[in-house]
Amino acid sequence: MKQKLTTLLFTLLALCLTLQAQAQTEGIQFEKEGTLFKDAVAKAKQTGKMVFLDCYTSWCGPCKMMANTVFPQEKVGAYMNPRFVSIKINMEQGEGVELAKKLQISAYPTFVFFNGDGQEVGRFLGGCQADEFIKNVEKASTDNTSAEMDKRFADGERDEAFLKQYLQTLSSAYKRDQCNAVAEILLDGKAETFASDKELAQIFMLHINNPFCPAFVHTAKHPEALIAQVSETPVRMKLRNVWMSYPRQLVTEDAAGNVSFDETSMKKWLALMEECQVDNREALRLDALFLYTEKKADWKAYAGHLQELSTKLDPTDLELCRRCTPIAKECKDEAIRKETAGILQQRLDELKSGKRQPQTRQGNMTLSGNMGKAMEMLIANLTTGEMPGTK
């Protein structure tokens, strides 16, 4: 009996040591998948910890690197677990869609830290190795500069020196929308004169993303002064990028996956582009509609926009392939797939007959791929569901 008890004691001791070793080698202990952000905040408040939020997407390479090689490390877990309630949220699914908008997350991975009341304390971006990660966490979770400046701004402080300092802080955190808001205040009343000030011109170039900003509207109509300060190519690219990026604000998706489109803002945007004589406004209008109908998976409407693109705007080979790809990947309607294959086949026939010349450039880019081959592969997929050479 004594021997049996001794054996049992050693067995239990070995089990305890094994469990202890496993606990010691654990990395970050994230909350189970599907945990809501508010629940993580509540748990942090109850346990006297902070919240660590890993903002990631499924396609982000550095996000996967962090999840696979950094977060599981023992020293990372030893630092994080006693201090944080940790939660991972995909910013393109469920609750993450609204959180990304609320927190102004525009680059991945972004790591955000909150106190027990759910107030942001700090953040940093990008993949890194374990030691650097721990160092960045320590700084971001204790540096309250951003939170303090947020409060000062919310309380109405508008001193120019403060706004410029605040803008630098926001920029380092990639808070794009808030950067624009602060930049607009700094440029308020200076739409016709800011270009002569080197610092204000730089603020415009770096942070204005609202096409309705008076400084942007004036520059779109009269770019000469800013071109003289900055040079022509960057100014032309800036104007183009602001016009092109605006459609992303027209399409929204809630946590339940419901997609909506702001038609009122769309009309105002189109009217403004006409007022500013934007030469590619029809293509930009279709960009917005493509974005909406693809996100909504309304393939009938999407195919209608594709037909309009191919017949009225004469898209490049690359653009045509890009617009046809979502139908090849996602649409199950055979009639729509066949119609799309027909659009590609017509372009391919024109290339083969010499009616069109193969395109080797797209804007400032040199195309290295064979677009004719790409069209053939898309046509095969649209008509048979197979890619050439896959059997």
Side-chain angles (χ1 to χ4, degrees), residues 295-364:
K295 205 167 189 64
K296 198 173 176 63
D298 184 351
W299 299 115
K300 183 177 181 180
Y302 187 98
H305 303 320
L306 180 60
Q307 190 68 244
E308 183 180 359
L309 175 72
S310 63
T311 57
K312 295 183 179 180
L313 297 184
D314 191 31
T316 64
D317 298 341
L318 178 62
E319 173 73 359
L320 189 60
C321 287
R322 183 169 74 90
R323 294 304 186 188
C324 291
T325 297
I327 291 180
K329 291 175 61 178
E330 304 292 342
C331 178
K332 306 301 181 185
D333 188 308
E334 291 302 322
I336 293 175
R337 294 176 69 87
K338 182 178 179 181
E339 178 185 340
T340 303
I343 292 172
L344 286 166
Q345 188 64 56
Q346 180 180 351
R347 175 62 64 91
L348 189 59
D349 291 344
E350 291 174 352
L351 290 169
K352 289 181 176 179
S353 69
K355 186 177 180 179
R356 285 179 180 270
Q357 293 302 310
Q359 294 165 333
T360 58
R361 296 189 65 81
Q362 172 85 5
N364 295 324

Side-chain angles (χ1 to χ4, degrees), residues 112-300:
V112 194
F113 303 87
F114 305 85
N115 61 25
D117 294 320
Q119 298 170 330
E120 181 178 337
V121 172
R123 66 172 69 186
F124 68 93
L125 290 79
C128 53
Q129 296 304 310
D131 290 338
E132 184 181 358
F133 175 78
I134 293 171
K135 181 179 178 181
N136 290 339
V137 170
E138 185 174 14
K139 182 178 186 302
S141 61
T142 56
D143 182 1
N144 290 307
T145 303
S146 179
E148 291 173 0
M149 297 183 87
D150 286 341
K151 185 176 186 308
R152 289 168 63 186
F153 181 77
D155 289 343
E157 186 168 344
R158 295 297 183 267
D159 176 74
E160 184 173 314
F162 162 73
L163 289 174
K164 290 178 179 178
Q165 183 184 8
Y166 184 38
L167 189 57
Q168 290 180 345
T169 301
L170 293 170
S171 180
S172 66
Y174 284 74
K175 291 186 176 181
R176 181 174 176 270
D177 294 342
Q178 189 73 346
C179 281
N180 176 84
V182 176
E184 285 201 40
I185 293 172
L186 285 167
L187 296 171
D188 186 39
K190 304 171 185 174
E192 299 181 12
T193 60
F194 81 91
S196 62
D197 183 310
K198 187 174 181 179
E199 185 177 19
L200 291 179
Q202 187 73 358
I203 286 172
F204 176 93
M205 293 295 293
L206 289 175
H207 302 300
I208 291 297
N209 57 57
N210 174 22
F212 297 97
C213 168
F216 180 85
V217 174
H218 178 80
T219 303
K221 295 178 179 179
H222 310 285
E224 300 81 11
L226 190 59
I227 287 173
Q229 178 72 258
V230 178
S231 78
E232 183 163 7
T233 299
V235 172
R236 298 294 182 190
M237 289 181 64
K238 174 66 178 181
L239 296 174
R240 176 177 176 271
N241 290 339
V242 172
W243 291 123
M244 286 182 63
S245 64
Y246 186 70
R248 291 196 293 267
Q249 300 181 43
L250 300 173
V251 181
T252 56
E253 182 179 1
D254 63 21
N258 299 310
V259 181
S260 59
F261 187 71
D262 188 344
E263 293 187 11
T264 301
S265 294
M266 169 79 155
K267 291 177 181 177
K268 292 179 180 178
W269 175 59
L270 292 174
L272 180 61
M273 286 198 293
E274 184 173 3
E275 178 186 331
C276 294
Q277 298 183 347
V278 178
D279 56 7
N280 63 333
R281 57 183 179 272
E282 281 303 302
L284 293 174
R285 176 183 68 84
L286 281 176
D287 280 347
L289 296 174
F290 276 127
L291 178 64
Y292 172 56
T293 50
E294 180 182 355
K295 205 167 189 64
K296 198 173 176 63
D298 184 351
W299 299 115
K300 183 177 181 180

